[in-house]
Amino acid sequence: METTSSSRVGVQPAEAPAAAQQDPQDPSVQPQDGASPVPVARRTVEGFLAADFPWYGLDGAFAGRRWLMQVGAAADGTVEHGSTGHGDEPSARGEIATGEKERFAVVVTVASNPLRRSADGTGVLEATSVSSAAWLAGSGLLAYSWPAQMDHALRSDWLDQQTEAAWELADDLGGEDWSTLSLPVDGEPTTFHYRESEFGWVLAGSTGSGVHLGAFGRGMSAYGIGFAAIEDLGTYE
């Protein structure tokens, strides 16, 4: 049986925060929704409810706005990952366009899958890992970033280059670009891989409940946050 070595999972671009997305470099990830005209909010909630793993967000110490983002699913419709937002809803141009500094944190939950089938059923993909969560978080931050001096026409090339760099960083969590940070997950101290850039911060780690966590943000300190399983999705818009 052929084995495809790739732990990449779907990217979450800023332009479509409520829809399941497909990463062209991972054929196992397919949009969960068909072409039926179902309202975006309803599709989003249903996607989260279809998962067989717990979703995570910031813990009760965060008192700001919360909202659901999107889920990513495999070819058979199985939900594999998704994101929840906290604080200001970010945009790609952010501070450049509005003059105001956005304050947000996005939490990415990735199901721990020891074996993932390829879309055509002929092989398997590498198991999801902390690197999968780091990749989603790093590419997610880039989707909401825009260098101040960059022309709109050049952003696509820049984003492709930086997204590839984010993947290489995610594949080398023991490298010098990463440090470690201990943050509470369900009240228990948990070690995360952490890095900062001019666009914000990214972190990734694993929980004791069978999922990997990634997170990215800007304007909010990563050192003061904590994570907890979401008991009621109704607390998210």
Side-chain angles (χ1 to χ4, degrees):
M1 178 178 292
E2 178 186 358
T3 300
T4 303
S5 177
S6 173
S7 59
R8 293 196 187 192
V9 284
V11 184
Q12 305 153 342
E15 291 76 12
Q21 300 297 322
Q22 179 180 6
D23 179 359
Q25 300 191 50
D26 185 350
S28 74
V29 179
Q30 298 290 339
Q32 179 170 322
D33 308 307
S36 56
V38 181
V40 167
R42 180 179 166 190
R43 292 204 313 266
T44 303
V45 173
E46 288 180 348
F48 279 83
L49 291 174
D52 61 359
F53 54 89
W55 294 106
Y56 275 77
L58 296 188
D59 62 19
F62 175 76
R65 181 190 171 208
R66 300 168 181 256
W67 73 95
L68 297 178
M69 297 180 72
Q70 69 266 15
V71 299
D76 62 0
T78 302
V79 176
E80 293 190 328
H81 63 88
S83 303
T84 56
H86 310 77
D88 301 326
E89 191 162 354
S91 62
R93 300 202 66 163
E95 186 177 355
I96 297 173
T98 66
E100 298 181 359
K101 186 174 184 180
E102 297 169 337
R103 299 180 67 255
F104 67 89
V106 172
V107 179
V108 183
T109 306
V110 182
S112 179
N113 293 326
L115 185 67
R116 299 163 59 215
R117 289 284 178 184
S118 61
D120 60 7
T122 61
V124 296
L125 301 175
E126 183 178 324
T128 56
S129 65
V130 178
S131 289
S132 304
W135 152 245
L136 284 168
S139 57
L141 178 62
L142 289 171
Y144 295 108
S145 303
W146 194 307
Q149 305 303 318
M150 180 166 290
D151 181 82
H152 184 282
L154 299 177
R155 184 172 184 266
S156 179
D157 289 340
W158 174 85
L159 191 57
D160 287 343
Q161 294 171 356
Q162 294 301 311
T163 299
E164 185 63 30
W167 166 246
E168 292 175 358
L169 286 168
D171 204 33
D172 185 25
L173 294 176
E176 61 183 12
D177 293 293
W178 297 89
S179 60
T180 57
L181 181 63
S182 180
L183 297 171
V185 176
D186 293 326
E188 296 294 328
T190 302
T191 300
F192 286 86
H193 300 276
Y194 175 78
R195 67 178 176 87
E196 294 181 356
S197 73
E198 61 182 302
F199 305 113
W201 50 264
V202 172
L203 58 81
S206 295
T207 75
S209 56
V211 298
H212 306 292
L213 290 184
F216 62 90
R218 188 161 56 231
M220 293 174 58
S221 173
Y223 289 85
I225 64 175
F227 305 97
I230 300 172
E231 297 182 358
D232 180 9
L233 288 172
T235 59
Y236 284 76
E237 299 177 14

